[in-house]
Amino acid sequence: MAGTARRFFRVKRHNPAALKELKALSIPESWARIMQVDHPREGVNICCMNGRPDAPWTFPVEGGASFSMSILQKGCIEAGFDNGERFRLEGGYVSLTATGEHLSGWDTFTAEQGFRLVNIHLTPEALCGLTGLNMDDVQRYMKSAIGVMPHINASVAMMPIFSNLQRLAAEIAQCSYLDSKARNVFLCAKVCEAIAAMLDTCSREQGSASTLKAVPSDRLRLLQARAMLEDRHHESWSVQSLAQAVGLNEKRLQAGFNALYGSTVHESLTRIRLDVALAMLSSGANVTDTAQAVGFANVSHFSKVFRNTFGISPKRWVHGHRATE
């Protein structure tokens, strides 16, 4: 999914001690310098990366049963399981990987034009402790998995990064809490929110019992309409233009959005734009550039909608966010 906000996504610099620790793990220096690692609780690992290393990096991967989410905004990852399949993740996509046993493999990170990644990795115990979900629960949502390898108990699924996840990736990477306990609570909360967003998206796209009952015949066109709003949120969409684009009449489009997403077309587009705006603002963009990039006619309109939604102006939100850095 193309998105202006990705230009503003960044990771804060490490202190020398953290950089030394990463280099001690045999991580190339040019990659260690763009890497930020957090362990907010037992079994939860978060790795954020942003920069342009000087060469690709290939390394072995080995570990027990786990669930991971890789939100890759820029760059390329090629990965493979020993005795399993190979995969390629392009920038603008998120991958879900679930393994049910101890496995080994390899990864290659490529960053010809830069590399931006938020990776969330949880053990089964941490997944259950944070969310109440077990590995079987997660794998049931991965029906669209591009690689299911029952002989090694592993599966991988991919989809474009949507606006809600784009915002969450920026918030995780830009966490500015200085107190360690506060930081850990914040990061765990965002991990849960990211998992919830993924499950909700998978449920709508695959057709849960509730969504199939609500819109059995129009669901695919409604998903296409939502994807168009996500990918082209900066354009001036109307109900009429979106309905024509996906081949539905306006009444069925509005009714379908209310049934599948719980909001009108306009409300959905506004929320998408605000999610992208929050990602941009939290990553350093100014209010004027953000308003223009996400599709608002002017800064005044953007500020009004932002204030009505969040109870604070975007300028005050930015000031409060940066005051804690």
Side-chain angles (χ1 to χ4, degrees), residues 94-129:
V94 54
S95 72
L96 306 177
T97 304
T99 62
E101 60 184 81
H102 191 280
L103 296 173
S104 60
W106 53 270
D107 284 349
T108 296
F109 289 179
T110 305
E112 293 182 1
Q113 303 299 322
F115 196 85
R116 287 196 287 270
L117 170 72
V118 172
N119 177 263
I120 299 167
H121 185 274
L122 301 94
T123 63
E125 295 78 13
L127 176 66
C128 185

Side-chain angles (χ1 to χ4, degrees), residues 269-286:
L269 177 58
T270 298
R271 184 67 233 197
I272 289 169
R273 287 174 170 174
L274 289 176
D275 278 337
V276 177
L278 286 172
M280 292 183 66
L281 293 173
S282 66
S283 301
N286 64 50

Side-chain angles (χ1 to χ4, degrees), residues 29 57 106 134 165 247:
E29 182 174 354
W57 175 29
W106 53 270
N134 58 43
L165 201 59

Side-chain angles (χ1 to χ4, degrees), residues 100-319:
E101 60 184 81
H102 191 280
L103 296 173
S104 60
W106 53 270
D107 284 349
T108 296
F109 289 179
T110 305
E112 293 182 1
Q113 303 299 322
F115 196 85
R116 287 196 287 270
L117 170 72
V118 172
N119 177 263
I120 299 167
H121 185 274
L122 301 94
T123 63
E125 295 78 13
L127 176 66
C128 185
L130 274 180
T131 67
L133 300 169
N134 58 43
M135 295 295 290
D136 288 340
D137 292 326
V138 171
Q139 288 179 317
R140 276 195 289 271
Y141 282 89
M142 295 172 63
K143 295 177 183 176
S144 60
I146 61 169
V148 178
M149 297 158 280
H151 65 293
I152 60 172
N153 197 1
S155 57
V156 178
M158 297 182 188
M159 65 176 66
I161 299 173
F162 47 91
S163 57
N164 193 8
L165 201 59
Q166 183 176 328
R167 169 183 61 83
L168 289 166
E171 290 177 342
I172 289 171
Q174 298 305 315
C175 175
S176 55
Y177 286 101
L178 300 179
D179 180 84
S180 60
K181 292 187 182 299
R183 180 180 181 86
N184 290 344
V185 169
F186 176 87
L187 290 174
C188 285
K190 292 302 170 181
V191 167
C192 288
E193 192 175 350
I195 293 173
M198 289 300 306
L199 297 182
D200 183 63
T201 297
C202 289
S203 175
R204 295 179 196 278
E205 292 192 351
Q206 295 165 11
S208 64
S210 59
T211 58
L212 287 174
K213 182 178 179 180
V215 281
S217 60
D218 295 338
R219 189 175 62 85
L220 292 180
R221 291 184 181 182
L222 294 169
L223 292 172
Q224 180 187 3
R226 173 79 183 201
M228 294 179 74
L229 295 184
E230 287 272 359
D231 196 48
R232 296 158 56 186
H233 55 266
H234 56 283
E235 297 183 15
S236 299
W237 288 104
S238 65
V239 175
Q240 181 181 23
S241 62
L242 186 61
Q244 290 176 346
V246 298
L248 283 175
N249 66 51
E250 296 176 37
K251 184 176 180 180
R252 290 181 67 175
L253 179 68
Q254 284 284 34
F257 260 68
N258 278 313
L260 190 57
Y261 301 111
S263 61
T264 66
V265 171
H266 176 72
E267 289 168 345
S268 295
L269 177 58
T270 298
R271 184 67 233 197
I272 289 169
R273 287 174 170 174
L274 289 176
D275 278 337
V276 177
L278 286 172
M280 292 183 66
L281 293 173
S282 66
S283 301
N286 64 50
V287 174
T288 300
D289 288 344
T290 298
Q292 182 178 12
V294 301
F296 284 92
N298 52 63
V299 176
S300 177
H301 183 215
F302 170 61
S303 296
K304 180 180 179 180
V305 173
F306 193 101
R307 187 184 300 107
N308 288 342
T309 303
F310 302 114
I312 188 174
S313 72
K315 289 185 178 180
R316 289 188 62 188
W317 187 93
V318 169
H319 177 76

